[in-house]
Amino acid sequence: MTQSFRKTLGGFDPNAGRSAHAADKPTLIPVPSLLRSLLTEHLDPGYAAAAEARAAGEAAGKRRPRWQNWAWQLCGALLIAAVFATAMAQARNTATGVRETQHALAGSVRSAEAATTDLTARRDALAEQVDTERRRRLEGGALGQQLLGRLDQADVAAAAVPVIGPGLTTTVTDPGVSQNLSDVSKERVTGSQQVILDRDLQLVVNSLWAGGAEAVSVGGVRVGPNVTVRQAGGGILVDNQPIASPYVILAIGPPNAMKDIFERSPGLQRLRLLEISYGVGVQVSASDTVTLPAGSVREVNFAKQIGQ
């Protein structure tokens, strides 16, 4: 720092100030000690003290031998290696335990699925025996035949029996992962490439019912009074059964009339909008023969009439 610049800042003369100045000489304001130290001392005093101590030690012949530095470095390297080895061993033990737990859970799931399949087959066989016996006992009289007709209508309404007839087939295909993996414009769920959601399928099913459908299935699962279509994380469940893209929605009813109404329905309009915006595949076709499976029937223990 030059002398003229120091004078401009007020100078370093301790006698300079308002109380001591000569005639025709500018009044100089002394620089405070803190500001003076900031302008002149660029390093912390601790650095200077450490440098002086190191220089004094070297001058007195107390410089640390080089082998001691190497020994400390070797100890540090060994300590780091020991930490990494311990972490790897713990990770391997944890991975082994996780794999064993996964195998055990997978085995439990397979056993539960097999038991469920067996119980479902037994239930269906017993239900068929009950239906056969019921028909045998009621077919003999006019009153029994009338009662059977009412039971058949109730079974169809409750989705308790498989049905075959003409209808519509609606196939909705999720576009999946985009070619540009950094493109998030196709996301309707944060962090996911899933486009089709449960509310889209719900709207389609309701539109088909409004269009005159007599029976509907989604992804091979019959839609009955107690069946729901809902989102579970990144998947869609129909009657608690997971379904995947392409989503096939079958509806039995008058194909031409139902298709005309469905073309103007909010459900198909939503699908067309998703087709334009997200690249969803939408295909609607009429068929003379559509087969729908029977749905799961649950016993109703309590009921309450609402309205008239």
Side-chain angles (χ1 to χ4, degrees):
M1 183 179 293
T2 61
Q3 187 68 20
S4 60
F5 182 59
R6 293 176 180 175
K7 289 182 179 181
T8 303
L9 293 177
F12 299 97
D13 186 3
N15 296 322
R18 296 182 183 275
S19 60
H21 64 275
D24 299 331
K25 185 178 180 181
T27 302
L28 301 180
I29 301 174
V31 178
S33 60
L34 177 60
L35 182 59
R36 183 183 299 113
S37 63
L38 292 176
L39 293 174
T40 57
E41 300 175 4
H42 302 290
L43 294 178
D44 189 90
Y47 289 100
E52 292 177 359
R54 183 170 59 253
E58 293 177 355
K62 296 181 179 180
R63 186 176 180 180
R64 179 181 299 176
R66 183 174 298 179
W67 67 269
Q68 293 185 3
N69 295 330
W70 290 350
W72 282 110
Q73 293 177 2
L74 180 60
C75 291
L78 292 176
L79 179 61
I80 294 175
V83 170
F84 274 101
T86 304
M88 290 179 62
Q90 291 179 353
R92 290 176 180 175
N93 294 334
T94 304
T96 303
V98 169
R99 284 195 297 269
E100 292 178 354
T101 304
Q102 290 176 347
H103 290 318
L105 291 176
S108 300
V109 170
R110 286 192 292 268
S111 299
E113 289 179 347
T116 302
T117 303
D118 295 339
L119 292 175
T120 301
R122 183 181 178 186
R123 181 203 63 189
D124 294 340
L126 293 175
E128 186 177 357
Q129 293 179 8
V130 171
D131 183 69
T132 302
E133 183 65 20
R134 181 174 58 192
R135 289 186 177 277
R136 187 183 66 83
R137 291 176 178 272
L138 295 178
E139 285 178 348
L143 182 60
Q145 292 179 359
Q146 183 180 1
L147 182 58
L148 284 176
R150 294 174 59 185
L151 287 175
D152 291 340
Q153 293 178 359
D155 288 339
V156 173
V161 294
V163 291
I164 300 175
L168 289 182
T169 300
T170 305
T171 304
V172 184
T173 305
D174 201 305
V177 180
S178 174
Q179 294 181 354
N180 184 4
L181 299 180
S182 63
D183 184 14
V184 297
S185 63
K186 303 300 182 184
E187 295 182 0
R188 294 184 71 196
V189 178
T190 304
S192 172
Q193 292 290 337
Q194 184 180 8
V195 174
I196 302 299
L197 305 180
D198 55 351
R199 57 179 177 266
D200 304 321
L201 299 181
Q202 292 171 5
L203 188 58
V204 171
V205 171
N206 291 333
S207 298
L208 290 171
W209 286 124
E214 301 174 4
V216 178
S217 69
V218 179
V221 181
R222 183 78 172 272
V223 178
N226 297 319
V227 174
T228 59
V229 180
R230 61 185 181 89
Q231 196 87 18
I236 296 179
L237 302 180
V238 181
D239 196 20
N240 293 327
Q241 300 183 35
I243 61 173
S245 176
Y247 307 102
V248 180
I249 306 169
L250 304 177
I252 288 182
N256 296 328
M258 194 163 49
K259 186 175 182 179
D260 292 340
I261 298 175
F262 186 58
E263 289 285 348
R264 302 188 300 271
S265 67
L268 189 58
Q269 291 177 4
R270 169 74 70 83
L271 294 182
R272 295 303 183 193
L273 180 61
L274 295 177
E275 183 180 23
I276 296 173
S277 303
Y278 296 95
V280 172
V282 180
Q283 183 178 1
V284 181
S285 60
S287 178
D288 294 334
T289 304
V290 177
T291 303
L292 273 64
S296 58
V297 179
R298 299 174 178 86
E299 294 184 0
V300 179
N301 297 322
F302 302 96
K304 180 180 179 181
Q305 183 177 358
I306 299 177
Q308 298 294 332

